[in-house]
Amino acid sequence: MSDENNNARQQQWMLTALRLFGRLPLGFVTRFGAFGAWLITWLPLSMAGAYRVVLVNILLCYPALSYREAARRARRALTETGRTLAEFTHVWTRPPEETLRRVRSVKGMEALRAAYASDRPVLLLTLHQSSWEIPNLLLGPEGPMTVFYQTSASDAFNTVVTRAREGTGSTLVPADARGIKAAIAAMGRNESVAILVDHTPHGSNNPWVPFFGHPVRTSNLPYKLISRYHPHVFFVGCHRRNGPNDIEVYIEPAADAIHSDDESTCLAAMNDGLATLISRYPEQYHWVYKRLRHSHGRKRQFYRADVVPYLRDARRRNGTLKVDELP
């Protein structure tokens, strides 16, 4: 019973904090989040877990950068992640119309609307970059849209976030067998399906596909939907141009190779597309996610504190990391 009481109290504190920050001015909230994340980057590497993950990811994904260059990018990236996460307290607690007023530019909407008007379904591939909650709200009114999401351990938190994300008309489904069934049904009705495709999937049936030159577990669900339903495929993302009140959303057709009958070719085109979009605004990507944890054929340990000696050596010689030398 005590564990249940502790969980209930934790959930209540989390929701109270969410609502409190949602009432504060957006500029203050995002500066607070950015400052807190920036402070983490100055802790010792053995203590700064989030910064360590970001730094390892950037060193491995951009091997041409020196350590000092990668560290500067990692510091800015974690600061932007703090800004993003703080901003979501407003997205999840305030009316969607208020959030959408922050969108100042949309690129590619005409092509997407033409695809919606056709007799084929639409597959939207999204990523954790900048204010990634906003494109879902923007596209919700455009037509029926089924959106995959990762559930939280907190039921109360799931309720708040799901209600907010469905605020303009989209339908959220969990990233499990039930969600896949819903996505297949939506494709069969020639509707749209949105998937965050920079997650590491569960299940050994998902293939190893290069991502920034590193073979990583990659969800084969997009390939299965593309090969079966032949949808129009778009990448969807956004970035902050001049602060949280100046958001640009982009909608871009995927490369032709993504429609290949060969699974490896299709998924390589998807990961290449992700890498291109990430590299366009690298400091606004959510590098704190441990995307390379399952890479090069096995589970890796280089996000743990064990990697600190390797980072110190890279700092000493102002070089990079070599994945084959890491734990």
Side-chain angles (χ1 to χ4, degrees):
M1 182 64 68
S2 61
D3 288 342
E4 292 180 6
N5 289 338
N6 286 335
N7 288 336
R9 280 196 294 269
Q10 290 174 1
Q11 291 184 23
Q12 187 58 48
W13 274 110
M14 184 167 59
L15 290 174
T16 299
L18 179 66
R19 294 186 177 111
L20 171 63
F21 276 89
R23 292 192 182 116
L24 297 173
L26 179 63
F28 170 81
V29 168
T30 55
R31 285 193 295 272
F32 180 85
F35 180 69
W38 178 80
L39 286 179
I40 291 172
T41 69
W42 294 102
L43 293 173
L45 287 170
S46 58
M47 299 171 59
Y51 175 61
R52 190 171 64 241
V53 170
V54 174
L55 181 57
V56 168
N57 277 333
I58 289 176
L59 282 166
L60 292 177
C61 291
Y62 297 99
L65 294 180
S66 69
Y67 181 90
R68 283 192 286 271
E69 290 169 333
R72 283 194 294 269
R73 179 174 291 184
R75 186 165 285 116
R76 290 192 292 263
L78 189 60
T79 300
E80 287 299 315
T81 290
R83 197 184 313 278
T84 295
L85 297 180
E87 169 190 309
F88 290 162
T89 62
H90 275 232
V91 177
W92 293 334
T93 62
R94 296 202 177 194
E97 296 79 13
E98 181 177 330
T99 296
L100 290 175
R101 283 197 293 270
R102 294 161 46 206
V103 178
R104 301 299 175 86
S105 174
V106 181
K107 294 183 177 180
M109 184 65 85
E110 298 80 7
L112 179 61
R113 286 173 174 165
Y116 278 163
S118 73
D119 58 356
R120 290 161 54 196
V122 174
L123 179 61
L124 305 173
L125 306 177
T126 67
L127 68 163
H128 294 86
Q129 190 162 35
S130 189
S131 307
W132 69 77
E133 293 279 352
I134 292 180
N136 166 62
L137 295 177
L138 178 71
L139 298 182
E142 296 295 324
M145 181 171 65
T146 298
V147 181
F148 281 88
Y149 78 106
Q150 296 284 343
T151 58
S152 165
S154 167
D155 292 337
F157 185 76
N158 283 329
T159 299
V160 170
V161 174
T162 300
R163 184 183 300 122
R165 288 171 171 171
E166 294 183 335
T168 60
S170 62
T171 300
L172 266 66
V173 296
D176 56 18
R178 182 162 61 92
I180 292 173
K181 184 177 180 181
I184 289 172
M187 284 266 147
R189 296 190 297 268
N190 286 337
E191 296 175 358
S192 68
V193 172
I195 308 175
L196 278 161
V197 289
D198 56 348
H199 274 302
T200 298
H202 299 292
S204 59
N205 61 314
N206 293 289
W208 301 95
V209 181
F211 177 69
F212 281 98
H214 301 283
V216 298
R217 283 285 187 198
T218 300
S219 172
N220 58 9
L221 177 60
Y223 167 74
K224 291 179 178 179
L225 295 177
I226 291 168
S227 62
R228 180 173 177 180
Y229 294 101
H230 306 289
H232 301 277
V233 184
F234 294 87
F235 283 103
V236 179
C238 68
H239 73 110
R240 289 183 289 269
R241 298 188 299 186
N242 296 292
N245 289 308
D246 186 8
I247 306 295
E248 180 174 79
V249 175
Y250 56 84
I251 306 157
E252 301 180 3
D256 291 342
I258 209 166
H259 298 279
S260 172
D261 292 334
D262 176 67
E263 180 182 74
S264 297
T265 302
C266 168
L267 296 180
M270 181 180 78
N271 280 358
D272 286 347
L274 284 176
T276 297
L277 298 179
I278 291 167
S279 296
R280 192 179 296 168
Y281 312 108
E283 293 169 6
Q284 291 191 31
Y285 185 62
H286 192 60
W287 289 107
V288 77
Y289 186 63
K290 300 175 182 178
R291 186 66 177 92
L292 304 181
R293 180 168 47 190
H294 295 272
S295 65
H296 298 268
R298 63 186 177 92
K299 185 174 181 179
R300 309 304 301 240
Q301 305 296 329
F302 47 60
Y303 292 118
R304 301 170 64 176
D306 298 348
V307 80
V308 171
Y310 298 88
L311 290 171
R312 288 173 177 163
D313 177 67
R315 181 172 58 193
R316 177 187 57 78
R317 51 187 172 78
N318 196 27
T320 189
L321 297 176
K322 295 182 179 179
V323 68
D324 294 338
E325 299 175 356
L326 298 178

